[in-house]
Amino acid sequence: GVGATDKTQSRFHDRSARPPRILITGGLGQLGTECAKLLRKNYGDENVILSDIIKPTDDGLLSGPFIFADILDFKGLQKIVVNNRIDWLIHFSALLSAVGEQNVPLAVRVNIEGLHNVIELAKQYNLRIFVPSTIGAFGPDSPRNPTPNVTVQRPRTIYGVSKVHAELLGEYYHHKFGLDFRCLRFPGVISSDPPGGGTTDYAVAVFHEGLLHKRYECYLEPHTRLPMMYIDDCLSALFQFLNAPCERLHRRVYNVTAMSFTPEELFAEVKKHIPDLQITYNPDSRQNIANTWPQIFDDSEARRDWGWKHEYDFERLVARMIQDVSDNYI
Ligand code: AKB
């Protein structure tokens, strides 16, 4: 698994001998709880504060502090950072691609105004700040096969527009003010915990629906190829990148991925585990989003600069998901 291996270099925060104190926003989304587990294992439970505006349903899943934090309330954020001596901020709050299109004004507030708050906060208190970006930060004018680290970005969703905005603002604050801004563009992230409102969600839903009901109706066409990765790889990329020394970083925004597949390819592999699985296709507006996104994501710069390497390939990912979903949800 993931975890700090080189203790002298990466176990602790480079500015002192103590571990960093970390605040995670949007902590109850697809990535937050698992991310907190990994960071707590490395830095201690009490040093990683998970936050959200929603109430956790099962506190048993949380091994350390959980607090209310509204990213639209700047003073509230200041108070949390000061009172808890925060060093690093991991900013997961966002409306994803499909749900963003359903409520653009809310997406503008959460994804753009929220980002303004956390980036100012990070500047004011000298925090290292991580913001995830996405394959959704590309659009119909971007090369799709492969999509390099630096290329045309003209996304057609509010989610994509807000992520390009975050990338550019973060790079700008880095150059202008020396802010330690770090950003990874993730592909579709696959975990047994359900995501909320993305275009790549089908690749999670098929495991839940398939194991429970032996059938799944897919909202994307069978040949829609998209980049994907398993959550453990996503979080180990995040961990490794957060701990990479500044000299290794030739840029502040990197593509990372593990594989690409189509619904048809995924379902064929899932059927090896669930032979009586019935698949139907009923494409909706999410197809139009997927049509403008990368098919093959070029993450060679991350691999070269700070040693990014995925562990889960396609077959391993499917086997692991069957296991995870059976253990936790069936
Ligand atoms: C989405 O589909 O919106 C997200 C993403 C790829 O950023 N999963």
Side-chain angles (χ1 to χ4, degrees):
V2 263
T5 41
D6 182 355
K7 293 211 166 88
T8 52
Q9 255 230 331
S10 60
R11 186 167 156 81
F12 293 139
H13 185 37
D14 53 12
R15 279 179 291 189
S16 63
R18 65 179 174 79
R21 294 182 55 80
I22 305 170
L23 175 67
I24 302 176
T25 70
L28 297 182
Q30 188 193 6
L31 304 179
T33 321
E34 292 302 311
C35 180
K37 271 189 210 154
L38 171 66
L39 295 173
R40 282 173 178 161
K41 208 171 74 196
N42 283 278
Y43 301 126
D45 287 354
E46 68 292 351
N47 289 319
V48 180
I49 301 176
L50 207 51
S51 74
D52 210 308
I53 54 168
I54 54 181
K55 190 164 75 170
T57 47
D58 187 352
D59 285 62
L61 296 171
L62 310 170
S63 54
F66 179 88
I67 60 170
F68 173 89
D70 180 357
I71 54 155
L72 295 174
D73 171 16
F74 188 70
K75 261 203 169 334
L77 293 174
Q78 286 180 301
K79 198 166 148 186
I80 292 166
V81 166
V82 169
N83 289 352
N84 295 286
R85 320 283 194 274
I86 297 298
D87 303 299
W88 294 1
L89 185 65
I90 298 179
H91 180 54
F92 284 148
S93 310
L95 265 65
L96 295 186
S97 56
V99 82
E101 294 311 289
Q102 308 306 312
N103 193 343
V104 174
L106 184 65
V108 167
R109 292 206 72 207
V110 174
N111 295 15
I112 300 180
E113 291 171 30
L115 187 275
H116 291 169
N117 281 340
V118 295
I119 208 159
E120 251 316 303
L121 188 76
K123 169 173 167 266
Q124 214 173 79
Y125 294 103
N126 195 24
L127 312 178
R128 178 171 300 180
I129 178 171
F130 177 85
V131 181
S133 184
T134 161
I135 52 172
F138 298 90
D141 300 319
S142 309
R144 301 177 71 200
N145 196 348
T147 306
N149 217 91
V150 177
T151 187
V152 176
Q153 289 179 270
R154 285 286 181 280
R156 292 275 178 88
T157 60
I158 189 61
Y159 176 61
V161 169
S162 72
K163 289 300 188 181
V164 175
H165 172 74
E167 293 178 7
L168 292 175
L169 205 61
E171 285 181 353
Y172 174 76
Y173 269 58
H174 173 69
H175 290 117
K176 178 96 177 172
F177 305 114
L179 178 72
D180 192 354
F181 170 82
R182 301 182 185 214
C183 174
L184 294 177
R185 293 192 193 112
F186 292 130
V189 175
I190 299 173
S191 64
S192 59
D193 295 336
T199 302
T200 59
D201 293 11
Y202 89 87
V204 173
V206 64
F207 292 95
H208 289 267
E209 299 293 311
L211 284 164
L212 267 175
H213 308 300
K214 314 277 181 227
R215 64 162 58 126
Y216 180 63
E217 183 168 276
C218 183
Y219 57 80
L220 293 181
E221 285 163 6
H223 301 296
T224 314
R225 186 173 303 282
L226 290 169
M228 302 276 182
M229 80 201 310
Y230 183 58
I231 186 160
D232 286 16
D233 277 331
C234 167
L235 297 175
S236 71
L238 197 165
F239 184 83
Q240 215 183 325
F241 182 57
L242 263 178
N243 282 288
C246 281
E247 321 80 78
R248 296 279 295 272
L249 305 184
H250 293 133
R251 47 178 88 260
R252 291 282 150 175
V253 181
Y254 283 94
N255 294 353
V256 291
T257 192
M259 67 194 85
S260 286
F261 54 73
T262 66
E264 191 173 59
E265 288 165 358
L266 177 63
F267 303 151
E269 187 64 26
V270 174
K271 277 185 190 169
K272 293 183 186 166
H273 302 265
I274 314 172
D276 48 349
L277 175 65
Q278 300 287 323
I279 298 289
T280 51
Y281 292 94
N282 186 12
D284 65 18
S285 58
R286 286 170 281 191
Q287 184 67 45
N288 302 326
I289 298 177
N291 285 343
T292 72
W293 282 6
Q295 295 182 314
I296 306 283
F297 211 33
D298 178 356
D299 62 357
S300 52
E301 294 202 19
R303 290 173 193 265
R304 182 196 66 202
D305 289 357
W306 47 273
W308 160 238
K309 199 164 156 302
H310 67 275
E311 276 192 19
Y312 282 82
D313 62 13
F314 181 56
E315 276 154 39
R316 221 178 137 200
L317 166 117
V318 172
R320 180 67 197 267
M321 279 296 288
I322 295 279
Q323 189 71 51
D324 287 352
V325 175
S326 307
D327 290 351
N328 299 314
Y329 289 91
I330 306 301

